[in-house]
Amino acid sequence: MIEIKNLKKVYNGVIVVNVPDIHIKKGESVGLVGNNGAGKTTLFRVMLDLIRPEAGQVLSNGEDVAGHENWKNYTASYLDEGFLIDYLTPEEYFYFIGGLHQQSRATVDDFLAGLTDFFNGEILKKGKYIRDLSKGNQCKVGVASCLLQNPGLLMLDEPFANIDPSTQFRLKSILKDLNKNKGVTTLISSHDLNHITDVCDRILLMEKGVIIKDIATSSSTLNELEQYFGVGQIASAKTITEE
Amino acid sequence: MTATFVRHELKAFWRSKNTGKSIAVRVVMGLLILYLLLIVCAIGFNLDKLLLKGGGKTDIVVTYCGIILLYYLSDLFTRLQLQDLPTLRVQPYLQLPVKRNSLVRYLAFTALLSVFNLWPFLLFVPFVLKIVMTDSGGWVALAFTVSIAGLTVFNNYLALYLKRKANINGWVFLIAAAAIILIGLSDFLWHFISIRKFSYLFFGSLIKYPLLAVIPVLLGAVMYYLNFLYLKDNLYLEELGSRKDTKYKSSTEYPFLSRFGSVGDLAANELKLIFRNKRPRSALIMGLFFMFYGLMFYPNPQMNGEGYKVFVSMFMTGIFIINYGQFMYAWQASHFDGLLVSKVKFGEFLRAKYLLFTMVSTVFLLLATPYVYFGWKTLVIEVIMYLWNIGVNTTMVLFFANRNYKRMDLSKGAAFNWEGMSGNQWILSFPLLIAPFIIYVPFAILHQANTGLGILGLVGLVCTFTRGFWIKKLEADFHTKRYTIAEGFRNK
């Protein structure tokens, strides 16, 4: 489904993303982990044609995302609040997005009715603009608008970061259901290692723009990741004491 | 502390995405100001001779005293339209151990650094030194100078106060401008007050009692203090955030637009953007102010020529395109990424802009029809300029929009950090203002004004009907700039 070839993004002479070759097959659930500044969001942005890479390309269904727009028909994504039209009410926003995909209002209403649990009564009919919602609730709106588009490929950047624990669990089961039962390819980044190993079948570990590990999730994966991130901390602590 | 603020602001200026453009604007502005200053200097140093010529048999000191307040009235009017508001992103300093008063004082004092405050001195002080000093002595001359300083400070802060208020509520600007115009009209048209007599009443007495100079100084001080308090209050307002408004926000629909499909949806979204955010709403309301332009120009026989009508009509029917369009796409900066990854085709996005411009301009044209009172030709010119606006100016504005990389935050409090109507902004719209005259003036000089008007209308019409072509061009142009625009809009 997704093919990344020789991708390079440079900022001020520093390579922030350097991905020689990655394939993501249809129906895979991929988790992206890495410390701050590892290049996760930049990679997402390049994949969504928001940033022009210095070299290489991202193919979606065999077609370069840059300069083409077909991928928009089956790709839904939410990276940050910059994806939401914040002066609309959530309902207006959902109708707008639904309208782009030729869905009638009734269809959108039906769909939203299925998300009642996920919204937890905090989104619909509250008489607020999106900008007046908390960050967590904005995230719910963003994720819901992705689901509304019936995507073939779903990309979320740190969806667990701002939402409450109950919503985190609901989101996890939604994501699993999408992937396992509806065959949606998912690509999710997160700092929460428990969640990401739970939801994803394949983990990509990024460090300084490079994907240094590509693991199929197993019972030992969480341990392996914890060791990587933990070891980093111990090493840096050592250098501090040495100085 | 002030030095730190200045340093931070300089950094903000140099590190901004738009630095190149800002510098170009400043250079043009600087040259323009220099030119105007030279003119004002020349007038100032020869004021006595000019007054002798223009004033007839009245004593030049009487005439001089009469025009001072008149000047300040027009000065206030010009300031309202052109003066820049000093800005500083205050939020990052609020929780730091920086005294609130020093923040506010910085904002209030930097406001004095405006060329507008230089003009009255250049215009009036040479006369004081040449005539008043020799006639009435040093103390009176000092009193005059101090009064002029006081009035300048007063005007400076009054204009800023009104602008800050107008920023939050566009009607304030409309009312203030209307009040100034009414005062002017009731002197020059209806003759039931005389600003000149009133001005002489004060400055004439100043010759006898120089101590009266205290009054303008007090006025200036009070206005400064008012500004200071207003800024300080708003420091808290901003801190409290935008969650103050608890009214239930309901969803709205524009059934009229739904027939245009997804283009209509986009235009409806943009209408909501305008009505639900303070700044674009103010831009729209201030547009209404330009409906008065006809009233200011047409009753005056000297400004009733067709060239003026072309100018005024362009403003009246196109002000929204000029005023709102020049910040385009930055109004949508906060969700530009979302637009880029959504299924919106950029061609449709542009079509929605055209639709919006056409709708609003049509409304403004309808509002301007009563000017037919000044002759049917006035209406014809209005229609021609309307065609020009929706045909040519819309495309030009969108062309410039492809080159605007500066983020604008609509959700933040507007009282501090904003760009609105100011001299710098008008410079950017210069090409829009000159373009019709490049066509019209040569014909007018050759006494073929009607042909010129005809061609203006024709060009407008042709461009309107070839929109599809222009949209393709703009789209191709956009695709070379999209990454820069998106990156600029991501820079907070």
Side-chain angles (χ1 to χ4, degrees):
Chain A
M1 177 140 213
I2 298 276
E3 232 178 303
I4 301 176
K5 287 181 185 162
N6 303 317
L7 193 71
K8 259 191 195 133
K9 177 69 201 168
V10 183
Y11 279 125
N12 302 324
V14 181
I15 301 179
V16 289
V17 169
N18 182 7
V19 180
D21 188 30
I22 282 285
H23 286 253
I24 295 173
K25 285 196 274 302
K26 201 168 161 38
E28 265 188 310
S29 59
V30 181
L32 196 57
V33 292
N35 286 325
N36 296 333
K40 301 185 298 294
T41 306
T42 310
L43 180 61
F44 273 145
R45 287 200 173 130
V46 174
M47 292 176 72
L48 292 169
D49 194 28
L50 290 172
I51 293 180
R52 195 204 316 261
E54 263 65 36
Q57 54 183 175
V58 177
L59 302 180
S60 181
N61 275 348
E63 189 181 62
D64 195 344
V65 291
H68 293 94
E69 300 200 293
N70 285 332
W71 57 271
K72 289 183 183 173
N73 294 329
Y74 54 83
T75 308
S77 54
Y78 181 73
L79 302 195
D80 53 41
E81 308 86 71
F83 278 47
L84 301 174
I85 304 181
D86 61 359
Y87 53 82
L88 297 182
T89 61
E91 289 92 340
E92 284 172 337
Y93 182 66
F94 291 133
Y95 291 144
F96 171 66
I97 295 290
L100 290 176
H101 289 265
Q102 280 80 42
Q103 296 176 8
S104 71
R105 298 195 159 209
T107 326
V108 175
D109 284 334
D110 273 355
F111 180 84
L112 294 177
L115 287 174
T116 318
D117 275 352
F118 180 64
F119 286 153
N120 201 18
E122 286 170 276
I123 308 293
L124 299 176
K125 303 201 178 70
K126 295 302 278 186
K128 282 181 178 175
Y129 295 142
I130 294 178
R131 65 170 178 234
D132 301 325
L133 299 174
S134 70
K135 263 203 159 186
N137 283 333
Q138 288 180 344
C139 176
K140 285 188 203 171
V141 174
V143 171
S145 79
C146 286
L147 303 179
L148 178 66
Q149 301 175 44
N150 290 322
L153 169 65
L154 174 66
M155 291 168 67
L156 300 175
D157 191 17
E158 296 189 34
F160 302 112
N162 287 309
I163 53 180
D164 57 71
S166 336
T167 314
Q168 289 179 20
F169 285 107
R170 283 187 193 120
L171 179 60
K172 277 206 298 191
S173 63
I174 289 176
L175 290 174
K176 279 185 196 164
D177 173 59
L178 276 181
N179 181 253
K180 300 288 170 310
N181 302 330
K182 303 204 175 89
V184 178
T185 315
T186 54
L187 180 55
I188 296 157
S189 81
S190 179
H191 289 304
D192 191 310
L193 302 177
N194 280 312
H195 288 332
I196 203 88
T197 45
D198 186 13
V199 173
C200 300
D201 296 334
R202 178 181 171 193
I203 303 286
L204 301 177
L205 174 58
M206 272 186 105
E207 186 183 277
K208 290 175 186 154
V210 184
I211 293 177
I212 53 167
K213 273 187 188 173
D214 185 348
I215 341 166
T217 317
S218 65
S219 53
S220 64
T221 312
L222 181 59
N223 217 327
E224 195 180 338
L225 289 175
E226 272 174 351
Q227 231 169 24
Y228 163 79
F229 287 105
V231 164
Q233 270 174 358
I234 294 162
S236 63
K238 253 185 198 162
T239 49
I240 289 165
T241 46
E242 277 165 13
E243 271 169 13
Chain B
M1 206 60 228
T2 308
T4 319
F5 290 146
V6 172
R7 235 176 305 139
H8 285 183
E9 277 210 65
L10 282 177
K11 279 180 185 157
F13 175 76
W14 286 109
R15 295 174 185 179
S16 141
K17 270 273 144 203
N18 265 10
T19 303
K21 196 159 122 192
S22 322
I23 292 175
V25 167
R26 255 148 241 249
V27 168
V28 176
M29 200 68 186
L31 290 174
L32 211 73
I33 287 169
L34 208 65
Y35 173 70
L36 286 175
L37 277 182
L38 283 176
I39 293 179
V40 171
C41 265
I43 296 176
F45 280 99
N46 298 306
L47 197 60
D48 44 338
K49 288 163 208 145
L50 289 173
L51 289 180
L52 206 59
K53 246 191 244 164
K57 289 187 188 107
T58 11
D59 183 19
I60 49 168
V61 177
V62 176
T63 330
Y64 172 78
C65 292
I67 60 165
I68 297 181
L69 278 192
L70 209 56
Y71 167 82
Y72 278 108
L73 192 67
S74 55
D75 175 65
L76 184 63
F77 193 64
T78 328
R79 278 174 193 266
L80 273 181
Q81 295 178 73
L82 296 177
Q83 191 169 6
D84 267 312
L85 274 181
T87 57
L88 176 72
R89 282 178 166 274
V90 280
Q91 204 125 44
Y93 305 102
L94 284 177
Q95 84 287 6
L96 298 174
V98 175
K99 287 243 162 53
R100 269 159 201 280
N101 280 351
S102 75
L103 261 175
V104 175
R105 222 177 293 128
Y106 171 79
L107 277 169
F109 267 118
T110 44
L112 281 177
L113 303 172
S114 164
V115 272
F116 280 100
N117 297 327
L118 213 57
W119 292 1
F121 289 97
L122 292 174
L123 200 59
F124 292 125
V125 173
F127 184 90
V128 170
L129 297 177
K130 276 163 84 174
I131 310 289
V132 178
M133 187 123 102
T134 43
D135 277 8
S136 320
W139 283 113
V140 176
L142 185 68
F144 265 81
T145 315
V146 169
S147 303
I148 287 166
L151 283 175
T152 307
V153 171
F154 173 76
N155 244 12
N156 184 53
Y157 287 114
L158 179 60
L160 292 185
Y161 184 72
L162 288 174
K163 284 193 90 157
R164 288 206 166 95
K165 284 271 191 194
N167 198 6
I168 292 172
N169 185 351
W171 295 105
V172 171
F173 177 81
L174 219 56
I175 291 166
I180 295 174
I181 293 174
L182 278 181
I183 293 175
L185 284 179
S186 45
D187 185 345
F188 291 96
L189 194 67
W190 304 318
H191 305 291
F192 56 70
I193 58 163
S194 170
I195 303 166
R196 272 162 293 189
K197 278 203 187 115
F198 182 69
S199 178
Y200 179 68
L201 189 73
F202 175 74
F203 284 96
S205 321
L206 204 59
I207 298 174
K208 280 181 217 145
Y209 314 103
L211 272 181
L212 280 178
V214 175
I215 296 175
V217 172
L218 269 180
L219 280 176
V222 166
M223 208 61 232
Y224 167 81
Y225 191 61
L226 238 137
N227 243 283
F228 183 87
L229 284 186
Y230 178 73
L231 284 175
K232 203 169 167 185
D233 269 358
N234 276 273
L235 224 46
Y236 284 96
L237 235 182
E238 177 131 325
E239 180 191 61
L240 293 173
S242 56
R243 234 168 287 269
K244 207 173 52 116
D245 202 359
T246 48
K247 217 178 74 192
Y248 190 90
K249 314 284 197 326
S250 55
S251 305
T252 359
E253 278 175 66
Y254 302 99
F256 161 75
L257 285 169
S258 52
R259 76 179 70 170
F260 293 99
S262 57
V263 175
D265 281 349
L266 287 169
N269 275 354
E270 191 138 9
L271 274 182
K272 286 173 191 164
L273 183 153
I274 294 168
F275 289 126
R276 290 176 185 181
N277 291 291
K278 280 174 193 155
R279 280 181 54 182
R281 200 169 48 214
S282 292
L284 185 69
I285 294 171
M286 282 184 196
L288 290 176
F289 156 74
F290 286 86
M291 291 288 116
F292 291 126
Y293 256 50
L295 264 186
M296 282 161 58
F297 281 86
Y298 296 161
N300 188 338
Q302 280 169 7
M303 296 194 192
N304 202 0
E306 285 188 355
Y308 281 106
K309 281 185 179 162
V310 169
F311 181 74
V312 171
S313 301
M314 177 173 63
F315 259 107
M316 290 195 300
T317 59
I319 183 59
F320 178 75
I321 299 174
I322 296 169
N323 215 0
Y324 180 80
Q326 64 174 310
F327 293 107
M328 212 150 235
Y329 314 127
W331 299 111
Q332 284 152 305
S334 69
H335 58 270
F336 204 70
D337 275 356
L339 286 175
L340 285 182
V341 301
S342 73
K343 247 185 92 178
V344 177
K345 294 230 165 47
F346 193 69
E348 287 178 355
F349 181 73
L350 287 176
R351 243 172 267 272
K353 304 276 182 216
Y354 274 108
L355 181 63
L356 179 80
F357 283 146
T358 311
M359 277 189 317
V360 177
S361 286
T362 310
V363 171
F364 279 14
L365 175 70
L366 292 178
L367 286 177
T369 43
Y371 283 115
V372 74
Y373 173 77
F374 294 98
W376 63 271
K377 192 99 184 260
T378 316
L379 187 63
V380 172
I381 295 177
E382 275 173 4
V383 172
I384 287 175
M385 292 321 289
Y386 162 77
L387 289 175
W388 174 269
N389 275 323
I390 62 169
V392 183
N393 272 355
T394 39
T395 308
M396 280 188 8
V397 145
L398 291 172
F399 174 79
F400 288 119
N402 278 347
R403 280 150 189 78
N404 180 16
Y405 312 134
K406 196 168 173 196
R407 182 190 172 92
M408 201 158 57
D409 237 325
L410 289 181
S411 49
K412 297 275 155 54
F416 280 92
N417 192 28
W418 80 302
E419 315 145 66
M421 275 223 296
S422 78
N424 282 343
Q425 291 311 327
W426 287 119
I427 291 273
L428 289 176
S429 36
F430 242 54
L432 300 178
L433 303 184
I434 311 170
F437 289 97
I438 294 177
I439 294 180
Y440 176 75
V441 168
F443 286 102
I445 291 172
L446 296 170
H447 302 291
Q448 297 288 327
N450 284 340
T451 321
L453 288 176
I455 292 181
L456 277 182
L458 197 68
V459 172
L461 214 57
V462 168
C463 287
T464 313
F465 280 110
T466 49
R467 265 184 188 175
F469 170 76
W470 298 110
I471 288 174
K472 285 238 164 56
K473 285 271 170 216
L474 286 169
E475 203 178 345
D477 182 47
F478 172 77
H479 280 297
T480 63
K481 308 254 175 355
R482 53 175 291 173
Y483 300 103
T484 328
I485 299 176
E487 195 190 339
F489 287 173
R490 246 175 262 135
N491 276 342
K492 290 195 179 158

